[in-house]
């Protein structure tokens, strides 16, 4: 990679980190490009060289957060051999992650309205929803022809639980985790190991 490309990558990383904090603290609507410019020290032209606008910057932040969430979920299931247990473990990790203010605000609250459902779902397909579908298919708990629909229904249930945790905080987390685990065991049956 040449020096110019390295500097560009470093600038994008720095801007995403700043924007991530601002979007998490103030939400999409409460964060201005001017605030990002002020904290980053970039000119408007330099920022727009990397991101076409606030929507594009938000999408880059969301992509980074989704990738981190994906890595955390994958780490949570590392070493879990039973596909059903892995699915339950990954879903519980997602519910726990929903309590993080950054995840809550950027992924659960702002992303669907900022990106619109179709763009948000396309990104989710590359991350959480894609992993959920693959994990559900690995369990062989549902007929293959219904796997996609069941994955959508499961995601809706898990996301609703995650939103309860996100909005309610710690008291909701333990109850949501127990309810999610119970729900998944009822849907999937018990893990084999």
């Amino acid at each position: 990679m040449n020096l110019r490309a390295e500097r560009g990558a470093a600038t994008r990383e720095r801007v995403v980190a700043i924007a991530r904090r601002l979007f998490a603290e103030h939400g999409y609507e409460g964060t201005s490009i001017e605030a990002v410019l002020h904290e980053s020290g970039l000119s408007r032209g330099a920022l727009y060289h990397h991101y076409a606008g606030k929507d594009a910057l938000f999408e880059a932040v969301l992509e980074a957060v989704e990738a981190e969430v994906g890595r955390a979920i994958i780490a949570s299931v590392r070493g879990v051999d039973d596909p059903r247990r892995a699915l339950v473990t990954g879903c519980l990790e997602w519910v726990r992650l929903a309590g993080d203010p950054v995840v809550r605000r950027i992924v659960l609250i702002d992303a669907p309205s900022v990106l619109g459902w179709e763009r948000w779902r396309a990104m989710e397909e590359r991350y959480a929803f894609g992993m959920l579908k693959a994990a559900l298919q690995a369990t062989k708990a549902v007929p293959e022809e219904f796997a996609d629909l069941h994955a959508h229904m499961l995601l809706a249930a898990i996301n609703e639980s995650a939103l309860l945790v996100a909005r309610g905080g710690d008291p909701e987390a333990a109850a949501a985790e127990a309810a999610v685990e119970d729900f998944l065991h009822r849907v999937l049956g018990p893990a084999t190991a």
Side-chain angles (χ1 to χ4, degrees), residues 3 20 43 62 159-160 162 176 178:
L3 185 58
R20 172 191 173 127
S43 69
L62 176 61
N159 276 351
E160 190 62 26

Side-chain angles (χ1 to χ4, degrees), residues 66 69-70 73 87 94 117 120-137 146-156 159:
E66 286 276 12
V69 166
I73 290 171
L87 177 61
W94 168 235
W117 191 87
W120 180 57
R121 178 61 64 201
M123 186 176 289
E124 286 284 300
E125 184 79 38
R126 292 192 309 272
Y127 292 103
F129 183 62
M131 289 190 306
L132 178 69
K133 260 196 327 193
L136 182 60
Q137 289 169 334
F146 296 133
D148 190 63
L149 288 171
H150 280 228
H152 278 279
M153 290 186 288
L154 184 55
L155 180 67
N159 276 351

Side-chain angles (χ1 to χ4, degrees), residues 102-169:
V102 173
V103 173
R104 174 180 52 237
R105 186 61 192 222
I106 292 170
V107 177
L108 292 171
I109 296 171
D110 285 345
S113 62
V114 172
L115 289 155
W117 191 87
E118 288 185 16
R119 279 180 48 216
W120 180 57
R121 178 61 64 201
M123 186 176 289
E124 286 284 300
E125 184 79 38
R126 292 192 309 272
Y127 292 103
F129 183 62
M131 289 190 306
L132 178 69
K133 260 196 327 193
L136 182 60
Q137 289 169 334
T139 68
K140 300 186 186 322
V142 298
E144 194 169 321
E145 66 269 18
F146 296 133
D148 190 63
L149 288 171
H150 280 228
H152 278 279
M153 290 186 288
L154 184 55
L155 180 67
I158 301 304
N159 276 351
E160 190 62 26
S161 298
L163 282 166
L164 286 172
V165 170
R167 297 217 184 258

Side-chain angles (χ1 to χ4, degrees), residues 41-65:
L42 290 176
S43 69
R44 189 173 298 274
L47 180 70
Y48 287 134
H49 170 75
H50 295 288
Y51 301 102
K54 185 174 162 181
D55 287 357
L57 179 56
F58 180 83
E59 194 165 347
V61 168
L62 176 61
E63 186 96 31
V65 174

